[in-house]
Amino acid sequence: NTRAANDAITRSLSLAPRNAQALALKGFLSAANNKTRDALNWFNRALAVDPALGNAWLGRGLCRIRQGDSRGGREDLLIAAALEPRRAQLRSYLGKAYADDGDTKRALHELDLAKQMDRNDPTAWLYSALAKADHNRINEAIRDLERAQELNDNRRIFRSRLMLDKDRGVQSVNLAQIYRDAGMSDWGLREAARAVNYDYSSYSAHLFLGGSYNELRDPKLINLRYETAANAEHLLANLLAPVSAGTLSPTVTQQKYSSLFEKNRLGFVSATEYRSGGDWTQSGAHYGILDASSYSLEGFYRTDNGQRPNNDLEQRFLTLRFKQELTSSDQVYAEINHAEASGGDVAQYFDQRLAARQFRFNDEQTPKLALGYDHKWSEGAHTLLFGTWVDDRYSLTNPFQPTVLMIRPTGGISSAYGITMHEQMRQRFNLLSGEIQQLVQRSEWTTVVGARAQVADVTLRNYQALPDQLGIFFPDPPAAAAAQAEDSHLRRFSVYGYEHWQPIRSLRLIAGVAYDVVTYPVNSLFAPLSGREETVERVSPKAGFIWEAAQDITVRFAYTRSLGGASFDQSQQLEPAQISGFVQSYRSIIPESVIGGASGAQFETFHLALDQKLGKNTFAGVVGEILNSRVRRTVGAFDARVDEFDYALASGTREHVDFTERALAISLHQLIGDDFAAGIRYRVAKAEIKDFFPEIPRQAGGDFVPRRTDDVTLHQLTLIGIYNHPCGFFSSVEGLWTAQDEFAAEAFWQVNMWAGYRFWRRRIEASVGLLNVLDRDYRLSPLTPYNELPRERTFVARLNVSF
């Protein structure tokens, strides 16, 4: 409670103006309010009263580092440690200062002294882990951070439960990053989720969790399952982050580990990847932090030539982000974004010959404007406001776009045919979204409540001509079979509340409920289109728990229901994206390669996980999940009423889709000595789909199948070995075995090999890889989602730079 503390210390100084400790504490309060110059003045006044006061030298050193005087700040910290040589915390800060300047030898020496002086303080273990990670000593860093976690509760005498949870959150998010370097991405995701649950207001926890979800996204943009969760976590990170952390990007980030060592600076980060097929990915950002302001300008470009004809994809993003601290409790965030994507048929097929060879699309968001506000009432209590406006234009052209022709004499549909037509479609989606969220964290409780309203104008233009068959029902070419101009709207209102309760230290219970009502166009995707609107509403309960059954055993469970939107509207939200570390906010669950987009989809999920450490070097995990999705929609069709007309009219027919995916994943990771790590992961997923058109009789003639039931089981076994040397060299070998039960002949192995070097405290990382060493092609059903693997031997080169 900084405001009350400031009032109390002001009263104290009025009674005893030459109390050096009070003057130093006033300096720390000013520094906490980002008033660095005032803080320096208070620390200097404290030193004038008592030149031997270690706290005053400590505070002045941290402020000088904040102003960019690293050498002077480090000298002040050295004096503080010399004046109070048996005080472990001063040694820890001095060690961190040496580490930030790249003097690892002195840093680890000071941190070892701190560990010896106070064997129960986790600070030195945390800082030594970060210093070792910077120098590629990954296994040692993991062990030190886990030791910091074990010691965390030793601070309970002088730290509240809320602050202890914040400490644990810091440790978990850093541990998550280091786990990833050891090839333990699933454990990294687990730790990131733990960090969010320990401290929901931690921007770094949301940032890493969003990055973990971002890595699960399909780079081809066809499977959109994790889009909503990734965007929501990154948005929360940007709103909650202090200005000193900079503005945070999903692809490149500039945040440091400790705000106490932040400083005004300019920086540049870049990531480049080239593949032997001619594919390029380039991202970069220039950023700056100046006292109460920060900004970043980020660009992203990707070109993927594809692995079959007309499988190319090109993406461009340009984003400007700005953050301003108005007061010590208020800050605003602004973003301007331009995005483009264009390409061919990026959908997945079991038989690549089924792909549409002349399909082309273009998607452009110009502009996307976002504005956010964060008011911090006290530690852990925030009011967040977020608004966005997106103008999206999507178009496609395909000479052979599938549709349905229904023959309807008197008495109902007698037959249905699958036909193709030349189609040109344009869609404009103009979205305005606003949300308010209140976050309150207390020792045993965390409450998140909010409301979201969204409105959009939807403009549809569609042209269809030249049917490939049954042309007797259409005008002679080249006249149009359908030329449509439809205007419609989307409206969504959502309210939600989530409660975390920690009745005992080892158990966290989570409950929530959301109410959504969505009105959207009946059919904006599958021509012939319809601008008519339909409304769906749902009450969605949520429940979960995290039980630390023993020090090294954690059981997690989540049950959720939710309601999807009509398009990317559902990816503009602050509502919590996960329960107990499991995703509960989906853009979609049914693979788009199977049914395309789905408006108003209903989701229901079950998750259960057991995470266990076996000693200090072995990590085991089991995760089971059931994902259900239900879609009721209208798809375009042509209706030939042969008793009334001799030609077909643009119409539509209802489609019902029910989808279930059951999956089980088992993983085991082992740290071997200081330099090696190995892991094995097996996942089996069975997907079942029931797709039927209730208006088309089962016995109807024609070649269109109105009932379809499929199920596919996907097996994936991953073996990985990683070597990290303290000099900076690293390498890895990965073996991936994949098979689908229904296509046993398609079982195959792929082997990937990587080697690289990390320079200058990981500010430069260069690596090369050879993917699919065995040069194995494959065929997989898209019913079980997967990110595409290389279909031939591929060379990859990467370069990451951060200054």
Side-chain angles (χ1 to χ4, degrees):
N1 196 329
T2 307
R3 184 174 301 173
N6 197 54
D7 292 342
I9 202 65
T10 301
R11 176 65 175 158
S12 171
L13 287 170
S14 70
L15 298 172
R18 290 185 58 79
N19 184 325
Q21 288 283 14
L23 291 167
L25 180 54
K26 182 69 173 178
F28 280 112
L29 287 168
S30 296
N33 289 324
N34 206 28
K35 298 177 180 178
T36 309
R37 292 185 179 87
D38 288 346
L40 272 172
N41 179 54
W42 288 107
F43 289 128
N44 285 328
R45 289 177 61 180
L47 289 172
V49 174
D50 184 359
L53 181 61
N55 275 347
W57 288 103
L58 168 65
R60 195 176 84 160
L62 294 175
C63 286
R64 293 176 74 179
I65 291 173
R66 176 79 172 90
Q67 290 186 326
D69 183 8
S70 297
R71 182 175 180 179
R74 191 172 65 251
E75 290 174 353
D76 283 355
L77 296 180
L78 186 59
I79 293 173
L83 289 170
E84 300 184 44
R86 301 301 302 171
R87 189 172 164 194
Q89 192 176 51
L90 297 179
R91 295 286 178 181
S92 294
Y93 282 125
L94 180 58
K96 182 70 168 66
Y98 279 130
D100 279 4
D101 279 351
D103 191 342
T104 306
K105 183 177 180 180
R106 283 193 174 93
L108 293 180
H109 172 72
E110 295 295 335
L111 294 170
D112 286 342
L113 288 176
K115 294 173 187 176
Q116 295 169 19
M117 292 174 185
D118 188 347
R119 298 183 181 276
N120 294 319
D121 184 6
T123 307
W125 293 95
L126 171 63
Y127 287 165
S128 69
L130 302 181
K132 291 174 180 178
D134 271 353
H135 288 79
N136 215 40
R137 296 164 63 174
I138 304 302
N139 293 11
E140 297 176 70
I142 289 175
R143 296 182 185 115
D144 282 3
L145 255 176
E146 290 178 338
R147 179 60 175 161
Q149 284 186 328
E150 293 171 7
L151 296 173
N152 189 71
D153 282 357
N154 291 332
R155 293 179 168 189
R156 64 184 179 272
I157 294 175
F158 58 93
R159 302 270 289 175
S160 68
R161 176 181 287 191
L162 172 60
M163 299 309 295
L164 288 174
D165 283 345
K166 287 181 173 293
D167 295 340
R168 296 177 76 186
V170 170
Q171 295 156 4
S172 288
V173 74
N174 286 294
L175 187 56
Q177 298 181 55
I178 300 173
Y179 276 149
R180 179 161 34 180
D181 290 334
M184 301 162 59
S185 57
D186 45 355
W187 272 79
L189 180 60
R190 166 190 177 273
E191 282 298 327
R194 286 183 69 188
V196 170
N197 285 293
Y198 287 139
D199 181 12
Y200 195 84
S201 64
S202 168
Y203 79 91
S204 55
H206 289 290
L207 177 66
F208 188 83
L209 187 58
S212 299
Y213 292 147
N214 198 56
E215 290 185 349
L216 298 175
R217 294 173 66 179
D218 177 14
K220 282 285 194 178
L221 304 181
I222 187 63
N223 290 325
L224 302 175
R225 178 172 290 188
Y226 296 101
E227 178 186 291
T228 298
N231 288 348
E233 294 295 337
H234 279 117
L235 177 57
L236 276 169
N238 271 303
L239 292 182
L240 292 170
V243 169
S244 59
T247 51
L248 311 170
S249 159
T251 53
V252 287
T253 182
Q254 315 98 34
Q255 96 274 12
K256 292 287 187 181
Y257 296 110
S258 171
S259 60
L260 288 172
F261 288 88
E262 279 296 341
K263 61 189 72 173
N264 293 336
R265 67 188 189 279
L266 299 177
F268 172 77
V269 287
S270 172
T272 305
E273 179 180 290
Y274 168 76
R275 297 197 174 203
S276 55
D279 304 334
W280 280 94
T281 301
Q282 176 66 58
S283 64
H286 163 66
Y287 65 92
I289 300 172
L290 179 62
D291 294 331
S293 304
S294 64
Y295 71 90
S296 72
L297 177 62
E298 179 193 351
F300 176 87
Y301 175 76
R302 180 170 182 262
T303 177
D304 185 339
N305 295 319
Q307 303 188 70
R308 55 170 164 77
N310 197 37
N311 189 222
D312 61 297
L313 174 67
E314 186 174 21
Q315 299 168 265
R316 295 183 181 90
F317 300 96
L318 185 63
T319 305
L320 175 64
R321 294 182 171 91
F322 177 77
K323 194 156 197 178
Q324 177 68 41
E325 183 179 276
L326 304 177
T327 70
S328 60
S329 301
D330 300 272
Q331 52 186 12
V332 293
Y333 168 77
E335 175 184 323
I336 303 174
N337 181 279
H338 169 84
E340 290 181 70
S342 60
D345 186 359
V346 296
Q348 297 172 335
Y349 298 91
F350 175 72
D351 186 347
Q352 301 301 309
R353 294 173 297 181
L354 298 177
R357 298 201 169 213
Q358 298 183 52
F359 174 92
R360 304 300 297 176
F361 80 91
N362 185 77
D363 192 8
E364 182 176 349
Q365 291 185 358
T366 307
K368 174 184 176 183
L369 305 178
L371 185 65
Y373 170 76
D374 172 23
H375 176 75
K376 184 177 180 180
W377 300 92
S378 62
E379 193 64 45
H382 295 257
T383 297
L384 304 177
L385 297 173
F386 175 70
T388 184
W389 174 56
V390 186
D391 188 7
D392 180 86
R393 296 175 177 88
Y394 176 84
S395 63
L396 71 84
T397 179
N398 186 8
F400 304 100
Q401 188 74 7
T403 189
V404 180
L405 174 65
M406 301 181 298
I407 311 301
R408 190 192 296 267
T410 302
I413 298 173
S414 63
S415 57
Y417 297 86
I419 64 174
T420 61
M421 307 187 83
H422 181 94
E423 179 180 348
Q424 294 178 332
M425 188 265 280
R426 290 181 291 120
Q427 178 188 102
R428 186 172 183 180
F429 199 91
N430 201 311
L431 173 72
L432 182 64
S433 176
E435 185 167 357
I436 182 171
Q437 183 179 105
Q438 180 64 51
L439 164 64
V440 180
Q441 287 181 267
R442 290 156 288 179
S443 292
E444 299 176 1
W445 300 87
T446 297
T447 304
V448 182
V449 296
R452 179 170 68 259
Q454 296 176 313
V455 294
D457 294 325
V458 184
T459 303
L460 305 173
R461 300 293 183 265
N462 185 64
Y463 174 84
Q464 289 174 282
L466 305 175
D468 68 332
Q469 57 182 338
L470 300 175
I472 58 173
F473 296 107
F474 298 93
D476 292 335
Q484 297 177 290
E486 301 278 355
D487 294 315
S488 188
H489 301 87
L490 174 138
R491 296 180 296 276
R492 179 176 187 138
F493 178 72
S494 305
V495 292
Y496 56 85
Y498 295 81
E499 192 71 45
H500 294 228
W501 179 38
Q502 197 168 3
I504 58 176
R505 191 62 181 161
S506 61
L507 179 64
R508 181 178 294 266
L509 303 175
I510 304 167
V513 64
Y515 170 74
D516 301 273
V517 54
V518 186
T519 300
Y520 56 88
V522 165
N523 177 20
S524 62
L525 298 172
F526 306 99
L529 307 178
S530 173
R532 291 186 300 107
E533 298 171 3
E534 65 178 288
T535 299
V536 60
E537 60 182 319
R538 195 180 204 201
V539 176
S540 303
K542 335 270 186 176
F545 67 80
I546 303 174
W547 177 37
E548 296 181 1
Q551 181 174 336
D552 296 325
I553 302 176
T554 303
V555 180
R556 297 178 291 130
F557 168 79
Y559 166 77
T560 72
R561 296 175 64 185
S562 53
L563 180 65
S567 183
F568 60 86
D569 54 285
Q570 63 210 81
S571 297
Q572 314 294 321
Q573 66 174 53
L574 300 178
E575 183 178 351
Q578 56 85 32
I579 299 290
S580 302
F582 302 108
V583 174
Q584 68 110 6
S585 296
Y586 294 96
R587 170 79 182 263
S588 64
I589 285 181
I590 308 175
E592 281 81 357
S593 293
V594 178
I595 69 162
S599 299
Q602 298 183 12
F603 308 129
E604 183 180 47
T605 69
F606 302 83
H607 300 267
L608 181 64
L610 172 65
D611 309 309
Q612 182 172 7
K613 281 182 57 183
L614 305 172
K616 292 185 176 297
N617 299 308
T618 306
F619 306 80
V622 180
V623 180
E625 63 182 11
I626 301 175
L627 308 179
N628 296 317
S629 182
R630 178 177 179 268
V631 175
R632 300 293 183 264
R633 67 183 183 183
T634 296
V635 297
F638 284 95
D639 199 345
R641 301 177 181 268
V642 296
D643 56 338
E644 302 178 32
F645 311 103
D646 59 357
Y647 56 89
L649 299 176
S651 181
T653 186
R654 295 294 289 176
E655 181 182 16
H656 294 180
V657 185
D658 295 299
F659 177 86
T660 298
E661 179 181 318
R662 299 177 178 88
L664 176 68
I666 303 172
S667 63
L668 182 67
H669 298 277
Q670 179 72 38
L671 302 181
I672 305 170
D674 290 338
D675 302 330
F676 291 92
I680 180 172
R681 185 176 188 268
Y682 171 72
R683 184 177 188 271
V684 56
K686 182 174 183 178
E688 301 174 339
I689 189 170
K690 296 179 180 179
D691 185 2
F692 65 98
F693 295 79
E695 297 173 357
I696 302 177
R698 185 187 301 270
Q699 66 276 12
D703 59 7
F704 183 77
V705 180
R707 304 286 190 277
R708 178 167 65 99
T709 301
D710 289 329
D711 63 89
V712 175
T713 302
L714 177 70
H715 303 265
Q716 287 186 309
L717 175 68
T718 304
L719 307 174
I720 188 169
I722 291 181
Y723 175 66
N724 288 293
H725 192 275
C727 73
F729 174 80
F730 65 93
S731 63
S732 67
V733 178
E734 178 187 53
L736 177 63
W737 177 78
T738 307
Q740 285 184 326
D741 283 354
E742 289 71 15
F743 311 101
E746 298 302 322
F748 62 95
W749 276 97
Q750 285 198 359
V751 176
N752 304 319
M753 303 175 65
W754 286 93
Y757 205 89
R758 298 180 177 120
F759 302 83
W760 296 335
R761 298 173 54 223
R762 306 184 68 159
R763 294 191 180 278
I764 299 179
E765 180 179 308
S767 60
V768 294
L770 190 61
L771 309 183
N772 194 5
V773 176
L774 303 178
D775 199 23
R776 290 294 305 272
D777 197 0
Y778 60 91
R779 293 193 298 172
L780 293 174
S781 168
L783 190 58
T784 48
Y786 65 92
N787 287 349
E788 287 200 5
L789 304 169
R791 296 183 177 276
E792 59 185 21
R793 190 178 294 115
T794 304
F795 170 78
V796 184
R798 291 176 178 170
L799 177 65
N800 299 331
V801 180
S802 174
F803 290 105

